[in-house]
Amino acid sequence: MIKVRYAFNPCWNCEINFLETEQPRTESEWENSFTLKMFLFQFVNLNSSTFYIAFFLGRLIQNWWTRRKLRQEHGSQRKASFPQWEKDYNLQPMNAYGLFDEYLEMILQFGFTTIFVAAFPLAPLLALLNNIIEIRLDAYKFVTQWRRPLASRAKDIGIWYGILEGIGILSVITNAFVVAVTSDFIPRLVYAYKYGPCAGQGEAGQKCMVGYVNASLSVFLVSDFENRSEPTSNGSEFSGSPLKYCRYRDYRDPPHSPVPYGYTLQFWHVLAARLAFIIVFEHLVFCIKHLISYLIPDLPKDLRDRMRREKYLIQEMMYEAELERLQKERKERKKNGKSHHNEWP
């Protein structure tokens, strides 16, 4: 059972009690579980009010109120004579979760930027401009609005790395489907190489797209409309005579064919090309990713060699210390055994 209490302030104080269902063994497991749940919660429920909370409410306002109270109680001259540690004490303390808010904001922005980048290519540029401004705002916040945080060592960014990997995989799949399913990229290629004027010639220029619009539209018999979907007008006001046929975007057989409105061969060619594009695109992107990871390792080779040598030296020191301890114990046993032998009657 998980109870969550959410308060609308920039720290959005959350108190989570893990009862019965979750009992993490270590603090690291608790932090990973908490981080994952809060990320999913924020990812689903994020809305426009977050910007208002981030930029207008919270510690900017709280520090201003604190300074106002100090001026009223002690006056501006008295405040100027305070020692630096007392001035720092009047600032807002670092929240209990450290840089959790900063990481969460960047991860959410990374998701918004990458998942639908094919639909909105300007998103990375806007994110870059936002981050350039936010770097200065965060610097001002840490220097003038918050107390100095306590430093702590960390091996890496923890579960955030796994979340980034998951978002990256999701973004590749999403963009592949956006390009293949919602755009005309694949149908135009299929028409140019298979059904257009340049079919079988290996060309795909502008002249090869002549007749594409007509090939992408199917014919529908107006008399086949159901009663509930029948149009209110027969179109005589536009053409002077009632319309017998209309066109719609799809790849289907005409109404007088042996299988009326069945899928044409071109439909299956387009569908196969879309699926092939998704598979090829995903594998190509992942291969490039792994190639870059191989060419640019996380640790330089010389640093990795020094770490291995340091690990070897530590193991050797431990081995020598253990060997020395065993030799000392053996000497003591021999000495004790000899003394007992001399005392034997």
Side-chain angles (χ1 to χ4, degrees):
M1 177 179 180
I2 302 176
K3 297 193 300 183
V4 179
R5 187 176 69 189
Y6 186 83
F8 290 95
N9 58 55
C11 301
W12 45 270
N13 300 321
C14 298
E15 296 183 2
I16 296 184
N17 298 323
F18 294 89
L19 302 175
E20 299 179 357
T21 57
E22 287 197 16
Q23 295 181 354
R25 294 178 301 173
T26 63
E27 183 179 359
S28 177
E29 292 181 1
W30 187 94
E31 291 178 354
N32 291 342
S33 178
F34 171 76
T35 299
L36 182 60
K37 288 180 175 58
M38 289 306 302
F39 167 77
L40 296 176
F41 177 79
Q42 287 294 96
F43 190 86
V44 174
N45 294 279
L46 190 66
N47 49 54
S48 59
S49 62
T50 307
F51 292 94
Y52 174 73
I53 294 173
F55 291 104
F56 297 99
L57 290 181
R59 304 192 172 191
L60 296 172
I61 295 179
Q62 293 178 4
N63 287 336
W64 172 81
W65 183 256
T66 302
R67 291 193 297 267
R68 182 175 180 273
K69 290 176 61 177
L70 289 175
R71 285 195 299 267
Q72 291 178 351
E73 294 176 1
H74 305 284
S76 59
Q77 298 297 330
R78 173 59 179 160
K79 180 178 180 299
S81 62
F82 286 164
Q84 186 62 42
W85 65 267
E86 191 168 354
K87 294 179 182 178
D88 293 342
Y89 180 77
N90 292 325
L91 299 177
Q92 294 299 316
M94 190 76 175
N95 61 66
Y97 304 109
L99 296 177
F100 178 84
D101 293 344
E102 310 298 330
Y103 274 111
L104 181 62
E105 182 181 358
M106 290 294 101
I107 296 299
L108 291 174
Q109 184 194 85
F110 178 73
F112 288 133
T113 303
T114 58
I115 291 178
F116 294 103
V117 66
F120 185 55
L122 286 179
L125 177 61
L126 297 179
L128 175 62
L129 297 177
N130 172 79
N131 291 340
I132 292 175
I133 298 174
E134 190 170 0
I135 287 175
R136 305 315 309 163
L137 292 177
D138 287 344
Y140 174 80
K141 177 176 62 177
F142 277 95
V143 173
T144 64
Q145 304 298 315
W146 282 3
R147 298 175 189 170
R148 179 181 299 177
L150 297 177
S152 59
R153 298 182 61 183
K155 181 180 179 181
D156 49 30
I157 62 175
I159 196 174
W160 292 115
Y161 184 80
I163 294 175
L164 286 172
E165 286 283 342
I167 294 178
I169 295 174
L170 178 62
S171 65
V172 172
I173 298 174
T174 303
N175 285 285
F177 274 92
V178 168
V179 175
V181 178
T182 65
S183 69
D184 288 339
F185 177 71
I186 301 300
R188 291 174 67 90
L189 284 181
V190 172
Y191 177 81
Y193 286 100
K194 186 67 176 179
Y195 298 95
C198 304
Q201 301 179 13
E203 299 180 5
Q206 188 66 28
K207 63 178 181 179
C208 300
M209 299 306 299
V210 176
Y212 168 72
V213 175
N214 185 61
S216 63
L217 298 177
S218 300
V219 179
F220 184 80
L221 188 62
V222 175
S223 60
D224 290 340
F225 275 115
E226 297 180 355
N227 293 332
R228 60 181 180 179
S229 60
E230 187 175 3
T232 58
S233 173
N234 58 9
S236 58
E237 63 272 18
F238 300 104
S239 61
S241 61
L243 296 177
K244 296 182 180 181
Y245 302 97
C246 65
R247 305 294 298 273
Y248 63 99
R249 188 172 184 180
D250 204 347
Y251 300 100
R252 292 182 180 270
D253 292 323
H256 302 295
S257 62
V259 183
Y261 307 115
Y263 288 117
T264 63
L265 184 61
Q266 187 175 357
F267 169 83
W268 299 110
H269 285 165
V270 172
L271 179 62
R274 283 173 171 168
L275 296 178
F277 172 81
I278 293 173
I279 296 174
V280 172
F281 179 82
E282 292 177 357
H283 284 72
L284 179 62
V285 172
F286 290 141
C287 288
I288 294 175
K289 171 184 174 296
H290 290 298
L291 178 62
I292 295 176
S293 299
Y294 174 77
L295 296 178
I296 308 176
D298 295 336
L299 294 176
K301 185 177 183 300
D302 56 344
L303 178 59
R304 185 166 59 250
D305 294 341
R306 288 199 298 267
M307 293 176 62
R308 290 176 179 174
R309 176 172 175 78
E310 182 180 356
K311 183 178 179 180
Y312 169 77
L313 292 176
I314 293 175
Q315 291 178 349
E316 187 175 5
M317 291 174 60
M318 294 176 62
Y319 172 77
E320 293 178 353
E322 183 69 15
L323 182 61
E324 184 178 355
R325 185 184 64 83
L326 292 176
Q327 291 177 352
K328 186 182 297 185
E329 290 180 356
R330 182 179 300 176
K331 290 181 180 179
E332 291 179 356
R333 285 198 300 268
K334 288 183 178 180
K335 182 178 180 181
N336 294 334
K338 184 177 181 180
S339 60
H340 291 310
H341 180 72
N342 294 334
E343 293 176 358
W344 190 260

